[in-house]
Amino acid sequence: MILVCGGAGYIGSHMVHELLRQGLPTAVLDNLQSGHKEAVHPKAVFLEGDVRDESALDQIMAHGVTDVIHFAANSLVGESVEKPLQYYNNNVHGMEVLLKAMVKHGVGRIVFSSTAAVYGEPSRVPIVEDDPAAPTNPYGETKLAMEKMMKWVEGAHGIRYVSLRYFNVAGALADGSLGEDHSPETHLIPLVLKVPLGLREQIGIFGDDYDTPDGTCIRDYVHVSDLAQAHLLALEYLRGGGASSILNLGSAKGFSVKAIIDAAEKVTGQTIKREIKPRRAGDPARLVADSARAKKILGWKPAYENVEEIIATAWNWHRLHPEGWADR
Ligand code: UDP
């Protein structure tokens, strides 16, 4: 049984879908703070509970858990600056309790959802895994602390891990049955798509005076199903005896905010009104990942290489569910 912590969230729900599609028995632990019960696959064993709750972990691990995939964390940069203690408690303490339960129940493998935010302002792009980790906000700092905790716990207790550091996740399951639903929404692609849906008048561009070709920030967008696939490959790698690793996941291609809005206009066939706003605090100009190591070690091959295709899957989901899971 594979335990997905945070399996009711955006990436976690796509992960659970992929595991069950492969015929792998799956359990979900999610406190539904930002996840949605409707997003949990009906074939998964589901417990509403918190990773910081030892008894919830005892209960779910009693189902015969052999591996953990860990998504349950707070993940908003701005919020983490406002509420650092909440991030340390939920993310770092959560990892402590989870690893303690894994030691207790003899669970020896974990795939961890890390972030590009561990690098901070990158010294060069594309970023490689050995570049310095110097987070510029508590979100990245807590994810880095979680990675380090796994390293020391491996030394003492032998739990092997793969930590996947990724950048901008986007898109939805191709059939439109799963997708992104955050409240409040802060991410670029779902916000852009709210304009053609008639739910917003315009999209604000946070700064057009960056040192990039069109002046707007450049990001590396990866399809959520490709991410789920990478987690699955990481699990197979650990099951095959692979050594603990830290791997970037990205497309190696950067797209500016303006390029994303232009692509969304093509996909939706509508003009998307935009307005230049001030820069958002803490935004690096350019974040692009070199994923050569993940490709080599895991054999990861992203299926979605084109940002318009990624946006098209998101558009499909948002058109079918303009109010997200509330539409179910
Ligand atoms: N962004 C923007 N307008 C918005 C939301 C985001 O211009 O309404 C920009 C943001 O400044 C960043 C990029 O879009 O440069 C991606 O932001 P997002 O929040 O989606 O992801 P992040 O890069 O922060 O993980």
Side-chain angles (χ1 to χ4, degrees):
M1 178 77 75
I2 297 156
L3 171 60
V4 180
C5 299
Y10 170 42
I11 310 172
S13 59
H14 288 78
M15 183 76 243
V16 172
H17 173 87
E18 186 57 29
L19 292 168
L20 289 165
R21 204 170 68 88
Q22 300 292 331
L24 296 162
T26 302
V28 169
L29 179 70
D30 197 302
N31 65 8
L32 302 183
Q33 190 189 72
S34 52
H36 304 270
K37 195 158 187 241
E38 301 84 348
V40 178
H41 198 293
K43 289 200 182 127
V45 174
F46 174 57
L47 179 67
E48 182 178 343
D50 199 293
V51 280
R52 292 163 295 185
D53 178 352
E54 283 183 39
S55 64
L57 285 166
D58 280 343
Q59 200 182 324
I60 198 94
M61 287 197 177
H63 287 275
V65 168
T66 52
D67 309 80
V68 172
I69 306 182
H70 185 29
F71 297 98
N74 290 135
S75 62
L76 298 176
V77 168
E79 184 186 59
S80 78
V81 177
E82 303 289 318
K83 301 175 182 166
L85 295 172
Q86 178 192 310
Y87 274 66
Y88 273 85
N89 183 267
N90 195 27
N91 295 1
V92 180
H93 177 56
M95 180 64 110
E96 174 203 338
V97 179
L98 175 61
L99 289 172
K100 193 170 148 195
M102 290 177 68
V103 172
K104 177 174 169 187
H105 292 269
V107 179
R109 296 177 287 255
I110 178 168
V111 179
F112 174 56
S113 157
S114 188
T115 172
V118 301
Y119 296 109
E121 186 72 47
S123 47
R124 59 171 172 175
V125 288
I127 304 167
V128 297
E129 292 84 349
D130 297 330
D131 286 346
T136 50
N137 54 64
Y139 168 57
E141 199 76 73
T142 57
K143 287 270 174 159
L144 187 60
M146 293 160 89
E147 285 189 350
K148 289 190 174 162
M149 198 187 304
M150 291 190 297
K151 182 184 110 175
W152 293 112
V153 169
E154 176 180 23
H157 302 285
I159 295 175
R160 282 175 301 121
Y161 63 92
V162 171
S163 184
L164 300 172
R165 292 177 174 171
Y166 38 88
F167 294 72
N168 295 66
V169 188
L173 201 63
D175 69 3
S177 64
L178 280 179
E180 186 166 12
D181 177 7
H182 295 113
S183 183
E185 188 53 77
T186 62
H187 297 104
L188 180 64
I189 291 176
L191 285 177
V192 167
L193 294 176
K194 282 185 195 288
V195 181
L197 281 171
L199 299 172
R200 267 175 91 97
E201 197 160 315
Q202 61 182 26
I203 181 76
I205 295 177
F206 296 151
D208 69 347
D209 56 351
Y210 285 94
D211 184 18
T212 59
D214 69 15
T216 67
C217 288
I218 291 178
R219 294 289 179 273
D220 185 344
Y221 294 85
V222 181
H223 193 275
V224 64
S225 297
D226 284 328
L227 272 192
Q229 197 56 37
H231 286 73
L232 180 64
L233 291 168
L235 184 74
E236 286 167 359
Y237 163 82
L238 288 174
R239 285 184 163 187
S244 294
S245 305
I246 293 176
L247 305 171
N248 284 344
L249 300 178
S251 67
K253 272 184 252 156
F255 291 89
S256 71
V257 174
K258 279 186 183 165
I260 291 293
I261 303 171
D262 292 345
E265 286 189 337
K266 271 199 198 155
V267 168
T268 62
Q270 297 189 44
T271 304
I272 297 174
K273 203 173 154 203
R274 46 192 98 182
E275 193 187 10
I276 308 300
K277 301 261 189 193
R279 288 184 176 197
R280 188 172 70 176
D283 268 343
R286 223 182 260 262
L287 283 178
V288 181
D290 183 326
S291 303
R293 196 186 280 182
K295 288 182 174 147
K296 184 162 174 259
I297 291 187
L298 302 181
W300 182 55
K301 282 195 201 80
Y304 291 86
E305 294 207 320
N306 173 327
V307 84
E308 279 174 31
E309 275 173 28
I310 295 179
I311 294 173
T313 63
W315 177 234
N316 192 28
W317 155 259
H318 289 294
R319 236 181 345 177
L320 291 169
H321 312 277
E323 303 293 337
W325 287 106
D327 283 342
R328 284 266 146 154

